[in-house]
Amino acid sequence: MLIVMHKDATSGEVEAVKAKVLALGLTPHAIPGAQRVAIGVTGNKDGLEPGQFWCLAGVSDVIRVSQPYKLVSREVKPEDTVVHVGGVAIGGGAFCVMAGPCSVEDRDQVMRTAVHVRAHGAQLLRGGAYKPRTSPYEFQGLKLEGLKLLAEAREKTGMPIITEVKDTDTLAQVAEYADALQIGARNMQNFSLLEAVGETKKPVMLKRGPSATVREWLMAAEYIVARGNYQVILCERGIRTFETLTRNTLDLGILPLLREMTHLPIVVDPSHGTGRAVAVAPMARAAAATRVDGLMVEVHPDPRSALSDGPQALTFPMFEAMMKELRPIVAMGGQRLGEAR
Amino acid sequence: MLIVMHKDATSGEVEAVKAKVLALGLTPHAIPGAQRVAIGVTGNKDGLEPGQFWCLAGVSDVIRVSQPYKLVSREVKPEDTVVHVGGVAIGGGAFCVMAGPCSVEDRDQVMRTAVHVRAHGAQLLRGGAYKPRTSPYEFQGLKLEGLKLLAEAREKTGMPIITEVKDTDTLAQVAEYADALQIGARNMQNFSLLEAVGETKKPVMLKRGPSATVREWLMAAEYIVARGNYQVILCERGIRTFETLTRNTLDLGILPLLREMTHLPIVVDPSHGTGRAVAVAPMARAAAATRVDGLMVEVHPDPRSALSDGPQALTFPMFEAMMKELRPIVAMGGQRLGEAR
Amino acid sequence: MLIVMHKDATSGEVEAVKAKVLALGLTPHAIPGAQRVAIGVTGNKDGLEPGQFWCLAGVSDVIRVSQPYKLVSREVKPEDTVVHVGGVAIGGGAFCVMAGPCSVEDRDQVMRTAVHVRAHGAQLLRGGAYKPRTSPYEFQGLKLEGLKLLAEAREKTGMPIITEVKDTDTLAQVAEYADALQIGARNMQNFSLLEAVGETKKPVMLKRGPSATVREWLMAAEYIVARGNYQVILCERGIRTFETLTRNTLDLGILPLLREMTHLPIVVDPSHGTGRAVAVAPMARAAAATRVDGLMVEVHPDPRSALSDGPQALTFPMFEAMMKELRPIVAMGGQRLGEAR
Amino acid sequence: MLIVMHKDATSGEVEAVKAKVLALGLTPHAIPGAQRVAIGVTGNKDGLEPGQFWCLAGVSDVIRVSQPYKLVSREVKPEDTVVHVGGVAIGGGAFCVMAGPCSVEDRDQVMRTAVHVRAHGAQLLRGGAYKPRTSPYEFQGLKLEGLKLLAEAREKTGMPIITEVKDTDTLAQVAEYADALQIGARNMQNFSLLEAVGETKKPVMLKRGPSATVREWLMAAEYIVARGNYQVILCERGIRTFETLTRNTLDLGILPLLREMTHLPIVVDPSHGTGRAVAVAPMARAAAATRVDGLMVEVHPDPRSALSDGPQALTFPMFEAMMKELRPIVAMGGQRLGEAR
């Protein structure tokens, strides 16, 4: 941490800051400046609060130097983490496509979708059983019935399933059926839920919150890992900006930097990231071209009748076309896409 | 809802949209246009999904006309709601100041703060016992011990207490001690928690999420009211923008419009809204000048030693000065501030 | 400037950074850290480019410590600047209301408005003659004819006039008629225009750009002052955020901090800041309550027929009511509002 | 345009709105609603002002249905526009890489860079001679001397040149040397400059402003085209958001939708879009994978010594590697990348 003093801070004020640093068991290093003094602080381990210094007299600014996340950082663990969901690896050279309907609506819908996406190379089946919705009057998912239909689809196709867990009350039930748990964007800083999934030891996909900085996202992942669950996948799904043409602004530009910051696998959700079906395949190709570890996309037999998020769902032919286009891009990065069958 | 067709949509496409509207039990109204056709939809009651139409052939845009929130809207209930917390009224002409430390740290801190803010006109005591923090390594609050200290302070000063509830697991415990529950900004769309506090019938203060539109905020309030709890207070506490000089951007400009949209009482939190103590009193005055129903502010006997959010806490003399300055502004709006004693 | 090295930077890399600092004629100060080395840089005067260091091997981060603006900063000039427009002072205890129509439309409109706002305490007349518009098909202002009508209104009412200058081509003409020049938000970083108005020595009001940080805004003001024109007024008029309920998000929270950063007078434009007439008076009161040096507001005899920005214009009675409400708030801050007459 | 009335608007208010519509020579179409009345307006041609209706009594909302841009829209001109710069085509199947230094610094720098980028397939040489900078104390470019060096590099390599024009004063000079003009992001709404380049008939690349919506960007392009210059290229270069890890947030998600909205060619600038060299090649690949018409990237013989934007400049080997990786992705989209030679 670096504490920058005001240009006209008195030497008494500088000494008071140094005394406070020492009182915390840390070491102050005064840096004489032409215009002002700065004080480097060393010895802190766990994300020292800048606030403790900001309100001292004569302090102009307090700047973090070390990052407050530890276990998720590549400085602590340089090699890539590979997360295993059912028999499917995510990270470490595999390129995993997770596909399926936004919401599980009925047996026919989920079965047909599972069979189709499997046939074209998807490796994980996604589908919402518990759906957090902006309005209390919107369809909230089939709940337990939805989980059972997903399990049936796994039975039939052999694909492991990933589904959202929206609260601690239903966690045990969801964990019983799901191979991997998804934390939705609006729950990214639901710390009680993060801690609870940290205890489960199930693979977890953590979506970035719509207004979360990369640093906050990594801190949220740190909550899960700090409880002993290292099986965490990060999912970029767009941030909220002033632009309303797309539902969110898919932030691909951070991905090469995120890769340097963390060892966790990274996937992209172009369905929520754009909210418009016509943009999904182009953004899926774009994400693959940046060399992420996979994609999550929404597919529906008939998007026009979808109970949620129809405008962003791919039809079956669109999904098939997207997978064909992805194959050479993924290969180019030395990665492997699931086989079509 | 209004469905706008493409300039070159065929009459067959127009008919297909009208058929879909009819199939949903609604009524289509075609509007002939010079350049294109639009189709008004009437008969929908509960926030029809635009998505159901967006993916039909020939559709260019789908525009919501009716608002999806109902119970919280002033169209449904024109008169102001007054929320009662202990014996204190919020809304309806009273201007309520809720003050206290960010976190409850120890008996001395909370007692001294409670006595001081009471003496200068605060009517509710705030203080965090369960603290959601960005980092798992930061101070998470005194938990039950903190609730007990708040209750002791209520005993001593007669002030009702408001404190944050961060999850459903601790809700019963928090509700046992608190006079009003606070839903933090990061939990604004934690729908399970919203439903749970909706069941309690305790007064609830719902903070706006850092990236929530006003419409989403009202929908979150609708979740609580839809469960039968009409005792909801809205709290503006700043949104996330590109500007980093302040911790958040306090969005006062929406308040006069929000007042027209909803009957619920509205308060402002200038402490989180700016994150900088020097800006708290000016923004408190500004908020009062727009005629909100109250304020929530953080006060600490010694902000330099605060375990959380020290840089935004007012000292005792700063709080006293702020209350003096607020008094004439509040009176100007025909509102009543709590008496100093 | 502070250069933070990677945890595993080699000592050779650290030495290379120090050599580069020395080569620029500056002094490096290595700060030994528990986890990593940081290098303080002193001796730089004019906003050293962080980029020169960011790309050196082993460098993890480069952090500005000194601010790059000089002449506009309060560190350089502690006392408030008072800008004089005609005989009217802005800053230094006066609270100046600038009012008038968005666009000058015809003689009757501007005269009636000038007389009305003067009668209720406005001290400067605003009105657009050259109008930058988002669409090439929208009304672009009366141009020279508009300037002449403004000058006539000054003749009649004795109020100095402020009007926007949109390019260097028309600057001489606008400067001939106007007492103060306004730089619009979209021109905040039109550096050629900033330099040109810097040469004129006319008072200039510089609006904040819709996506400008406070630092960038001060740098833009520095462009004007660096050319020898110290008569600069800063005008906060809202920033662009995800919220669409208001036209912009009026950022009052920065004002107390801006006051500490610069000696220049600060005014607020609640008309553009909200875009909705119903919110203008509440935000005007809010701005006054934070103790700015004045306001700019749009007034129109008949907003329903306005050629531009009608939805945000105050009617005559609304303006009169606003001025009455402002008077005690301004007095409270020890400031003086223009007399009604 | 659609005018939505309040739920409790009187029939007199509805009639007044209809009368106003008729008075403007347009046709009102009342749409009876279950909850409220809406009035469709037809007959308007040139971007009717919503504001004219918003302030009428009983009006709740005014919604644009038609887009206000015309000449740049694909509805008006369905086939792709191909812009020709020197002998190089942009759009229509060609994938054009424009590369070169951020600023022209000296003969050696620009020559070496031109030769290198040409050798690896770039088709246009970029380089800044007039540089708009945030601070008045930063390097502002070599100006005329820079233009002459660019012309020399064109002579030597045969590559047409594109360079920024920052104001109308220097436009004639820049147009004399450049094959294509670039309008920088901060000048996107400098309407006087847009009109002036519209008169030149030179090809123009219009960068998106950091806080511009797609609609505003297209309106800015409309300014140029409305003056008779159809040779306009759109360049996405990132928007300003809350995320500070990258310099801007590159908004690739809008591109597939922008393609449907306009016939103008679209290119992407991953250098400004991310501000970090390590992210440039991945984002260049991503942009190509979405099937844009080209890229603009910054290349420097020695980024560590660059006078501007060093942290985002590619080294020669990085550029060469990027071009190799782009080739198969571009081919996949049926596009042609310039040959290496």
Side-chain angles (χ1 to χ4, degrees):
Chain A
M1 182 165 290
L2 183 80
I3 302 166
V4 183
M5 304 299 294
H6 276 296
K7 210 186 63 168
D8 49 7
T10 65
S11 60
E13 286 167 349
V14 172
E15 290 311 311
V17 171
K18 288 160 83 175
K20 166 92 182 190
V21 172
L22 287 165
L24 290 165
L26 309 174
T27 312
H29 303 263
I31 313 162
Q35 292 184 30
R36 63 185 78 219
V37 173
I39 298 165
V41 177
T42 59
N44 49 312
K45 291 196 187 62
D46 300 332
L48 192 60
E49 278 277 281
Q52 305 196 48
F53 298 98
W54 216 348
C55 39
L56 294 179
V59 170
S60 162
D61 208 356
V62 182
I63 298 165
R64 286 178 193 272
V65 173
S66 295
Q67 293 300 338
Y69 48 86
K70 307 285 169 197
L71 303 174
V72 301
S73 84
R74 206 174 269 282
E75 289 198 341
V76 164
K77 174 172 180 294
E79 68 279 6
D80 287 349
T81 287
V82 180
V83 173
H84 295 275
V85 179
V88 176
I90 298 162
F95 186 94
C96 177
V97 174
M98 318 179 195
C102 176
S103 300
V104 175
E105 297 172 4
D106 57 48
R107 175 173 291 108
D108 179 65
Q109 173 234 27
V110 69
M111 290 303 158
R112 285 176 58 205
T113 306
V115 168
H116 182 80
V117 300
R118 183 83 192 98
H120 296 285
Q123 293 183 289
L124 254 64
L125 177 65
R126 66 143 287 147
Y130 287 93
K131 299 291 305 170
R133 302 301 300 273
T134 300
S135 164
Y137 309 121
E138 291 174 316
F139 175 60
Q140 313 270 327
L142 293 182
K143 305 192 170 88
L144 177 58
E145 179 58 22
L147 294 173
K148 287 180 178 169
L149 291 174
L150 286 170
E152 245 187 80
R154 171 178 50 200
E155 203 68 21
K156 177 163 183 179
T157 62
M159 299 171 85
I161 57 183
I162 178 166
T163 195
E164 179 162 359
V165 55
K166 70 191 266 275
D167 53 37
T168 50
D169 292 350
T170 52
L171 171 57
Q173 189 189 80
V174 174
E176 188 188 329
Y177 287 89
D179 299 286
L181 302 169
Q182 174 182 324
I183 303 283
R186 289 177 288 205
N187 272 325
M188 191 201 85
Q189 291 191 313
N190 182 337
F191 301 118
S192 304
L193 183 57
L194 297 179
E195 288 172 349
V197 300
E199 301 288 349
T200 64
K201 311 295 178 283
K202 278 261 173 186
V204 180
M205 188 177 81
L206 178 66
K207 288 198 155 189
R208 182 184 185 187
S211 65
T213 63
V214 168
R215 187 180 155 275
E216 289 166 343
W217 189 16
L218 289 174
M219 291 306 300
E222 186 88 5
Y223 261 92
I224 302 171
V225 179
R227 293 281 167 141
N229 185 349
Y230 282 78
Q231 296 284 93
V232 177
I233 303 158
L234 299 172
C235 178
E236 161 63 29
R237 46 74 76 199
I239 56 175
R240 174 156 277 179
T241 70
F242 62 84
E243 180 58 71
T244 56
L245 188 63
T246 43
R247 183 176 178 179
N248 291 289
T249 297
L250 192 65
D251 189 8
L252 298 181
I254 55 154
L255 300 180
L257 302 160
L258 182 60
R259 187 66 97 189
E260 294 188 344
M261 295 163 83
T262 185
H263 52 81
L264 296 175
I266 302 166
V267 302
V268 168
D269 173 353
S271 303
H272 287 87
T274 63
R276 303 284 293 265
V278 72
V280 170
M283 286 308 106
R285 297 193 306 261
T290 71
R291 299 197 187 137
V292 290
D293 300 302
L295 295 171
M296 171 168 270
V297 290
E298 294 187 0
V299 180
H300 195 283
D302 179 14
R304 299 177 192 203
S305 70
L307 295 181
S308 59
D309 288 349
Q312 72 194 35
L314 298 181
T315 60
F316 286 2
M318 288 169 86
F319 179 74
E320 185 178 345
M322 181 192 83
M323 292 300 282
K324 274 201 194 109
E325 294 173 328
L326 279 175
R327 209 161 284 280
I329 298 177
V330 167
M332 224 173 276
Q335 293 177 293
R336 300 175 306 280
L337 188 62
E339 281 177 33
R341 49 182 153 171
Chain B
M1 181 165 292
L2 183 78
I3 301 166
V4 183
M5 303 300 293
H6 275 297
K7 210 185 61 166
D8 49 6
T10 65
S11 60
E13 287 167 347
V14 172
E15 290 312 309
V17 171
K18 287 160 84 174
K20 165 92 183 189
V21 171
L22 287 165
L24 289 165
L26 308 175
T27 312
H29 304 262
I31 314 162
Q35 291 184 30
R36 63 186 79 218
V37 172
I39 297 165
V41 178
T42 59
N44 50 312
K45 291 198 187 62
D46 301 331
L48 192 61
E49 279 276 282
Q52 305 196 50
F53 298 98
W54 216 348
C55 39
L56 293 179
V59 170
S60 162
D61 207 355
V62 183
I63 298 166
R64 285 179 193 273
V65 173
S66 295
Q67 293 301 338
Y69 49 86
K70 307 284 170 197
L71 304 175
V72 302
S73 83
R74 206 175 268 282
E75 290 199 339
V76 165
K77 174 174 180 293
E79 66 279 6
D80 287 348
T81 287
V82 180
V83 173
H84 295 276
V85 179
V88 176
I90 298 163
F95 186 93
C96 177
V97 174
M98 319 179 194
C102 176
S103 300
V104 175
E105 297 172 3
D106 58 48
R107 175 173 291 108
D108 178 65
Q109 174 236 24
V110 70
M111 290 302 158
R112 284 175 60 205
T113 305
V115 167
H116 182 80
V117 301
R118 182 84 192 97
H120 295 286
Q123 291 184 289
L124 253 65
L125 177 65
R126 66 143 285 147
Y130 286 94
K131 299 291 305 170
R133 301 303 299 274
T134 301
S135 164
Y137 309 123
E138 291 174 315
F139 174 62
Q140 313 268 327
L142 293 183
K143 305 191 169 91
L144 177 58
E145 179 59 21
L147 294 173
K148 288 181 177 168
L149 291 174
L150 286 169
E152 245 187 79
R154 172 176 50 198
E155 202 69 23
K156 178 163 181 178
T157 61
M159 300 171 84
I161 57 183
I162 178 167
T163 194
E164 178 161 358
V165 54
K166 71 192 266 276
D167 54 35
T168 49
D169 292 349
T170 53
L171 171 57
Q173 189 189 79
V174 173
E176 186 188 332
Y177 288 89
D179 298 287
L181 302 169
Q182 175 182 322
I183 304 283
R186 287 177 289 205
N187 272 325
M188 191 201 84
Q189 291 191 314
N190 182 336
F191 301 117
S192 304
L193 183 56
L194 297 179
E195 290 172 348
V197 300
E199 301 288 349
T200 64
K201 312 295 180 280
K202 279 259 174 189
V204 180
M205 188 177 81
L206 178 67
K207 290 196 153 189
R208 182 183 184 186
S211 65
T213 61
V214 167
R215 187 180 155 275
E216 289 167 342
W217 189 15
L218 289 174
M219 293 306 300
E222 186 88 4
Y223 261 93
I224 301 172
V225 178
R227 292 283 166 141
N229 185 350
Y230 282 77
Q231 296 284 93
V232 177
I233 303 158
L234 299 172
C235 179
E236 160 64 30
R237 48 71 77 197
I239 56 175
R240 175 156 276 178
T241 70
F242 63 82
E243 180 58 72
T244 56
L245 188 64
T246 44
R247 184 175 177 179
N248 291 290
T249 297
L250 193 64
D251 189 7
L252 298 182
I254 53 153
L255 300 180
L257 302 160
L258 182 59
R259 186 66 96 188
E260 294 187 344
M261 296 162 82
T262 185
H263 52 81
L264 297 175
I266 303 165
V267 302
V268 168
D269 173 353
S271 302
H272 287 88
T274 64
R276 303 285 292 266
V278 72
V280 171
M283 286 309 105
R285 296 193 306 262
T290 70
R291 301 205 184 131
V292 290
D293 300 303
L295 295 171
M296 171 168 270
V297 290
E298 295 187 359
V299 180
H300 196 282
D302 179 15
R304 299 179 191 202
S305 70
L307 295 181
S308 60
D309 286 350
Q312 73 194 33
L314 297 181
T315 61
F316 285 3
M318 287 168 86
F319 179 75
E320 185 178 344
M322 181 193 82
M323 292 299 283
K324 274 200 191 110
E325 294 173 329
L326 278 176
R327 210 160 283 279
I329 298 177
V330 167
M332 224 173 275
Q335 293 177 293
R336 300 174 306 279
L337 187 63
E339 282 177 31
R341 49 182 153 176
Chain C
M1 183 165 290
L2 183 79
I3 302 164
V4 183
M5 304 299 294
H6 275 296
K7 210 185 62 166
D8 50 6
T10 65
S11 60
E13 287 167 347
V14 172
E15 290 312 309
V17 171
K18 287 159 84 172
K20 165 92 181 188
V21 171
L22 286 165
L24 290 164
L26 308 175
T27 313
H29 303 263
I31 314 163
Q35 292 185 29
R36 62 186 80 219
V37 172
I39 297 165
V41 178
T42 60
N44 50 313
K45 291 195 188 63
D46 301 331
L48 192 59
E49 279 276 282
Q52 304 196 49
F53 298 98
W54 216 349
C55 39
L56 294 180
V59 170
S60 162
D61 207 356
V62 182
I63 298 165
R64 284 178 194 273
V65 174
S66 295
Q67 292 300 339
Y69 49 87
K70 307 287 169 193
L71 303 174
V72 302
S73 84
R74 208 175 265 284
E75 289 199 341
V76 165
K77 175 174 180 292
E79 67 279 5
D80 286 349
T81 287
V82 180
V83 173
H84 295 276
V85 178
V88 176
I90 298 161
F95 186 94
C96 177
V97 173
M98 318 180 195
C102 176
S103 301
V104 175
E105 296 172 4
D106 57 48
R107 175 174 291 108
D108 178 64
Q109 173 235 26
V110 69
M111 290 302 158
R112 284 174 61 203
T113 307
V115 167
H116 182 80
V117 300
R118 182 84 192 96
H120 296 286
Q123 291 184 292
L124 254 64
L125 177 65
R126 66 143 287 149
Y130 286 94
K131 298 292 304 171
R133 301 303 298 275
T134 300
S135 164
Y137 309 122
E138 292 173 315
F139 174 60
Q140 312 270 326
L142 293 182
K143 305 193 170 89
L144 177 57
E145 180 58 22
L147 294 173
K148 287 181 178 168
L149 290 174
L150 286 170
E152 244 187 81
R154 170 175 53 197
E155 203 68 23
K156 177 164 183 179
T157 61
M159 299 171 86
I161 56 184
I162 179 167
T163 194
E164 178 162 358
V165 55
K166 70 191 265 278
D167 54 36
T168 51
D169 292 349
T170 53
L171 171 56
Q173 188 189 80
V174 174
E176 189 189 329
Y177 287 88
D179 298 286
L181 303 169
Q182 175 182 323
I183 303 283
R186 287 177 288 206
N187 272 324
M188 192 200 84
Q189 290 190 316
N190 182 336
F191 301 117
S192 304
L193 184 57
L194 297 179
E195 289 172 350
V197 300
E199 300 288 349
T200 63
K201 312 296 179 280
K202 279 261 174 186
V204 180
M205 188 176 81
L206 178 67
K207 289 197 154 190
R208 183 184 185 186
S211 66
T213 62
V214 168
R215 186 180 155 275
E216 289 167 341
W217 189 15
L218 289 174
M219 293 306 300
E222 186 88 4
Y223 260 94
I224 302 172
V225 178
R227 292 283 167 141
N229 185 350
Y230 283 78
Q231 297 284 95
V232 178
I233 303 158
L234 299 172
C235 179
E236 161 63 29
R237 48 72 76 198
I239 56 175
R240 175 156 277 179
T241 70
F242 63 83
E243 180 58 71
T244 56
L245 187 64
T246 45
R247 183 175 178 179
N248 290 290
T249 297
L250 193 64
D251 189 8
L252 299 181
I254 55 154
L255 300 179
L257 302 160
L258 182 59
R259 187 66 99 187
E260 294 187 344
M261 295 163 83
T262 185
H263 51 82
L264 297 175
I266 303 164
V267 301
V268 168
D269 174 351
S271 302
H272 287 87
T274 64
R276 303 285 292 266
V278 72
V280 171
M283 286 307 108
R285 297 193 306 261
T290 70
R291 302 206 183 129
V292 290
D293 300 304
L295 295 171
M296 170 168 270
V297 290
E298 294 187 359
V299 181
H300 195 283
D302 180 16
R304 299 177 190 204
S305 70
L307 296 181
S308 58
D309 287 351
Q312 72 195 33
L314 297 181
T315 60
F316 286 3
M318 287 169 87
F319 179 75
E320 185 178 344
M322 181 193 83
M323 291 300 282
K324 273 199 193 109
E325 294 172 328
L326 278 175
R327 210 161 283 281
I329 299 177
V330 167
M332 226 172 275
Q335 293 178 295
R336 299 175 305 279
L337 188 62
E339 282 177 31
R341 50 181 154 173
Chain D
M1 181 165 295
L2 183 79
I3 302 167
V4 182
M5 304 300 293
H6 275 297
K7 209 184 63 166
D8 48 7
T10 64
S11 60
E13 287 167 348
V14 173
E15 290 311 310
V17 171
K18 288 160 84 172
K20 166 94 183 188
V21 172
L22 286 165
L24 290 165
L26 308 174
T27 312
H29 303 263
I31 315 162
Q35 292 184 29
R36 63 186 79 219
V37 172
I39 298 165
V41 178
T42 59
N44 49 313
K45 292 198 185 61
D46 300 330
L48 192 61
E49 278 278 281
Q52 305 196 50
F53 298 98
W54 216 348
C55 39
L56 293 180
V59 170
S60 162
D61 206 355
V62 183
I63 298 165
R64 287 179 192 272
V65 173
S66 295
Q67 293 301 338
Y69 49 86
K70 308 284 169 195
L71 304 174
V72 302
S73 83
R74 205 175 270 281
E75 289 199 338
V76 165
K77 174 174 182 292
E79 67 280 6
D80 286 348
T81 287
V82 180
V83 174
H84 295 275
V85 179
V88 176
I90 299 162
F95 187 93
C96 177
V97 174
M98 318 179 195
C102 175
S103 301
V104 175
E105 297 173 4
D106 58 48
R107 174 173 293 108
D108 179 66
Q109 175 236 25
V110 69
M111 290 304 159
R112 285 175 57 204
T113 307
V115 168
H116 182 81
V117 301
R118 183 83 191 97
H120 295 286
Q123 292 183 289
L124 255 64
L125 177 65
R126 63 144 289 149
Y130 287 93
K131 297 293 304 171
R133 303 302 299 274
T134 300
S135 163
Y137 308 123
E138 290 174 316
F139 175 61
Q140 313 270 325
L142 292 183
K143 306 190 169 90
L144 177 57
E145 180 58 23
L147 294 173
K148 288 181 176 168
L149 291 174
L150 285 169
E152 244 187 80
R154 170 176 52 198
E155 203 67 22
K156 179 163 180 179
T157 61
M159 299 171 86
I161 57 184
I162 179 167
T163 194
E164 178 162 358
V165 54
K166 70 193 266 277
D167 52 37
T168 50
D169 292 350
T170 54
L171 171 57
Q173 190 190 77
V174 174
E176 188 189 330
Y177 287 89
D179 299 288
L181 303 170
Q182 174 182 324
I183 303 283
R186 287 177 289 205
N187 273 325
M188 191 201 85
Q189 290 191 315
N190 181 337
F191 301 117
S192 304
L193 184 56
L194 297 179
E195 289 172 349
V197 301
E199 301 288 348
T200 64
K201 313 294 179 282
K202 279 260 173 186
V204 180
M205 187 179 81
L206 178 67
K207 290 196 154 190
R208 181 183 185 187
S211 64
T213 61
V214 168
R215 187 181 155 274
E216 289 167 343
W217 189 16
L218 289 174
M219 292 306 299
E222 186 88 5
Y223 261 93
I224 301 172
V225 178
R227 293 281 168 144
N229 186 349
Y230 283 77
Q231 296 285 92
V232 177
I233 303 157
L234 299 172
C235 178
E236 161 63 30
R237 46 75 74 197
I239 56 174
R240 174 155 277 179
T241 70
F242 63 83
E243 180 57 72
T244 56
L245 188 65
T246 45
R247 184 176 177 178
N248 290 290
T249 297
L250 193 64
D251 189 8
L252 299 181
I254 55 154
L255 300 179
L257 301 161
L258 182 59
R259 188 65 96 188
E260 294 187 343
M261 295 163 83
T262 185
H263 53 81
L264 297 176
I266 303 165
V267 302
V268 168
D269 173 353
S271 302
H272 287 88
T274 64
R276 303 284 292 267
V278 72
V280 170
M283 287 307 107
R285 297 193 305 262
T290 70
R291 301 202 186 135
V292 290
D293 300 302
L295 294 171
M296 170 168 273
V297 290
E298 294 187 359
V299 181
H300 195 284
D302 179 15
R304 298 178 191 203
S305 70
L307 294 181
S308 59
D309 287 349
Q312 72 194 34
L314 297 181
T315 61
F316 286 3
M318 287 168 87
F319 179 75
E320 185 178 344
M322 180 192 83
M323 292 299 283
K324 273 200 194 109
E325 294 173 328
L326 279 175
R327 209 162 283 280
I329 298 177
V330 167
M332 225 172 276
Q335 293 178 293
R336 301 174 304 279
L337 188 62
E339 280 178 32
R341 49 182 155 177

